[in-house]
Amino acid sequence: MAEVTVGVLALQGDVREHVAALVAAGASAHPVRRPEELERVDGLVIPGGESTTISKLAEAYDLLEPIRKRIGGGMPVYGSCAGMIMLATEVLDGRPDQQSFGGIEMTVRRNAFGRQVDSFEAPVPIAAIPGGPVHGVFIRAPWVERVADGVEVLGRVAAGPAAGRIVAVRQGNAVATAFHPELTGDRRMHRYFVELVRRA
Ligand code: GLN
């Protein structure tokens, strides 16, 4: 199998966990903080953290336009939680000056689950990922309110107060989840993404 190199955007957020998950999923993984580092990767993970901070730092580190360009050019990208927000073409309840990379034609709502279910865990069945529902860890997560026609809904919350909410999507080579698979021992989501990078 060809070795693929996947970058993890390392401005803020749970970078180390994603690097470890990608390595466990069979990729070579490196933090990306500079445009030159972005040029060397076959795919990119945008971690969870705080989307307003990631947005600000992406501008400060001159990564906003280079990442937009590579995503526009078809580079596979996977965003989890704040990373999902960074891939959305429209963000509700964001800061007015908050920027995103785009990549998935969808509207997401930040901190959507509200106070009562601020952070929670719930099963998310994903047909593209066999072996039973993925265990979704949600931490002040967004949900997806609307998707355009070309966007595939990969998964919805299966149980609990948030049941039915869209929390995993894909458009072409761009994948996003509202939950954090890097915080569980289950590497299926990262394997799914590494496979996508391998085929691209
Ligand atoms: N609430 C955060 C944001 O708006 C996302 C939280 C997370 O990534 N765990 O960016």
Side-chain angles (χ1 to χ4, degrees), residues 48-51 81-82 85 110-111 139-140 180:
E50 181 50 57
S51 57
C81 202
I85 298 169
R110 278 181 73 217
N111 305 327
I139 305 166
R140 296 187 317 284
H180 291 268

Side-chain angles (χ1 to χ4, degrees), residues 133-173:
V134 171
H135 182 70
V137 175
F138 297 84
I139 305 166
R140 296 187 317 284
W143 69 41
V144 180
E145 293 219 345
R146 276 188 295 272
V147 293
D149 281 346
V151 178
E152 185 187 349
V153 172
L154 293 178
R156 297 172 185 264
V157 177
R165 290 294 174 184
I166 300 172
V167 291
V169 293
R170 172 176 174 182
Q171 183 170 25
N173 282 339

Side-chain angles (χ1 to χ4, degrees), residues 65-140:
E65 282 311 320
I67 291 176
R68 280 181 180 157
K69 254 198 216 126
R70 284 223 51 195
I71 293 174
M75 173 187 68
V77 63
Y78 166 46
S80 130
C81 202
M84 169 184 255
I85 298 169
M86 292 303 299
L87 292 178
T89 47
E90 191 184 16
V91 178
L92 303 177
D93 295 338
R95 280 173 51 128
D97 60 344
Q98 178 164 4
Q99 305 286 326
S100 80
F101 301 127
I104 303 182
E105 292 169 274
M106 62 176 171
T107 303
V108 300
R109 187 176 293 281
R110 278 181 73 217
N111 305 327
F113 292 95
R115 290 202 143 210
Q116 248 134 53
V117 280
D118 202 14
S119 297
F120 65 102
E121 303 187 8
V124 182
I126 297 180
I129 296 180
V134 171
H135 182 70
V137 175
F138 297 84
I139 305 166
R140 296 187 317 284

